[in-house]
Amino acid sequence: MELRLANVDDYPQIYEIYSYYVANTAVTFEYEIPPFAEFVQRLEHITATYPLVVASDPLTQQVWGYAYASRFRPRAAYDWSVETSVYLAQDMRRSGIGRQLYTALEELLKLQNVFNLNACIGVPEVEDEFLTNASVRFHEKMGYNFVGRFTNAGYKYGNWYHVVWMEKILAPHPVKPAPLQSFPTVRLVAEQILAQLNS
């Protein structure tokens, strides 16, 4: 497996992975698979500021999963906080790839002076065919802590689902933090870090 930064050639495979979750699960509360062009715009918006990491087959470039960060809230005071997300191809779940993707993502976010990682997770009252508590368990293993729950905040496939927020603190918060670094400005160092993780 190779961990690397996503490129435009990966976008169709990333789109395919995400589309499955829209069409078959309540992991995302999106109802309709977005048009590909719109999805690409989302990815480009993300990568203008934050990393988008993929795990792929180094020979075929088949994408097995991806992880990324996005802005937590639009106000400037939130610059040091992000929302994290990870999606895996269906046959790659419970393979350890999610952990490796998140570990790599964390290292790259440290370069940007990010301190707070936040995950927004849909959870069922009772696990069903569309949603389980697997994401909560995964984030707990990755060191995230529960910080809040919204009751029956989402409705999909005839079911009400709660939403929980979990957080992880990457480093102690300084009295005066250095400014957020846009990911393109740290990309070269990020590529070196990914190369070390792959070695």
Side-chain angles (χ1 to χ4, degrees):
M1 185 193 71
E2 178 184 26
L3 295 167
R4 58 180 174 79
L5 299 176
N7 59 62
V8 294
D9 292 335
D10 299 318
Y11 288 177
Q13 294 186 73
I14 293 173
Y15 178 70
E16 182 179 351
I17 291 172
Y18 180 71
S19 295
Y20 175 88
Y21 288 93
V22 175
N24 299 282
T25 79
V27 168
T28 170
F29 284 176
E30 193 159 13
Y31 274 24
E32 303 292 337
I33 297 172
F36 179 67
E38 177 187 326
F39 187 76
V40 168
Q41 288 181 341
R42 296 182 192 180
L43 297 181
E44 291 179 343
H45 179 73
I46 289 166
T47 56
T49 307
Y50 299 105
L52 171 59
V53 183
V54 299
S56 66
D57 184 314
L59 297 178
T60 67
Q61 300 302 301
Q62 176 70 36
V63 174
W64 293 332
Y66 66 98
Y68 65 94
S70 55
R71 193 166 182 83
F72 177 58
R73 297 284 289 171
R75 302 287 186 260
Y78 291 105
D79 276 359
W80 298 269
S81 297
V82 298
E83 183 175 346
T84 55
S85 301
V86 60
Y87 290 91
L88 300 179
Q90 290 306 294
D91 57 349
M92 291 297 161
R93 292 181 299 172
R94 293 179 290 277
S95 64
I97 291 176
R99 172 179 288 276
Q100 293 180 70
L101 280 166
Y102 251 23
T103 299
L105 183 66
E106 289 177 9
E107 292 303 310
L108 303 191
L109 290 171
K110 289 175 185 177
L111 293 176
Q112 296 185 259
N113 300 321
V114 168
F115 293 95
N116 289 49
L117 309 181
N118 303 282
C120 180
I121 305 167
V123 297
E125 182 68 26
V126 178
E127 292 188 352
D128 59 33
E129 62 184 304
F130 303 111
L131 190 63
T132 69
N133 290 306
S135 185
V136 169
R137 291 190 291 267
F138 168 75
H139 282 85
E140 287 175 340
K141 291 177 180 177
M142 291 302 301
Y144 284 68
N145 296 305
F146 176 86
V147 291
R149 185 181 91 153
F150 296 91
T151 303
N152 291 334
Y155 181 81
K156 189 174 181 181
Y157 295 126
N159 301 301
W160 286 104
Y161 295 108
H162 310 308
V163 168
V164 301
W165 279 93
M166 300 182 73
E167 73 172 1
K168 181 175 182 177
I169 308 304
L170 284 180
H173 293 73
V175 174
K176 186 174 182 180
L180 175 72
Q181 299 296 304
S182 179
F183 188 70
T185 66
V186 299
R187 183 182 179 98
L188 290 178
V189 179
E191 290 175 340
Q192 294 172 3
I193 289 175
L194 291 175
Q196 292 172 359
L197 290 174
N198 285 321
S199 63

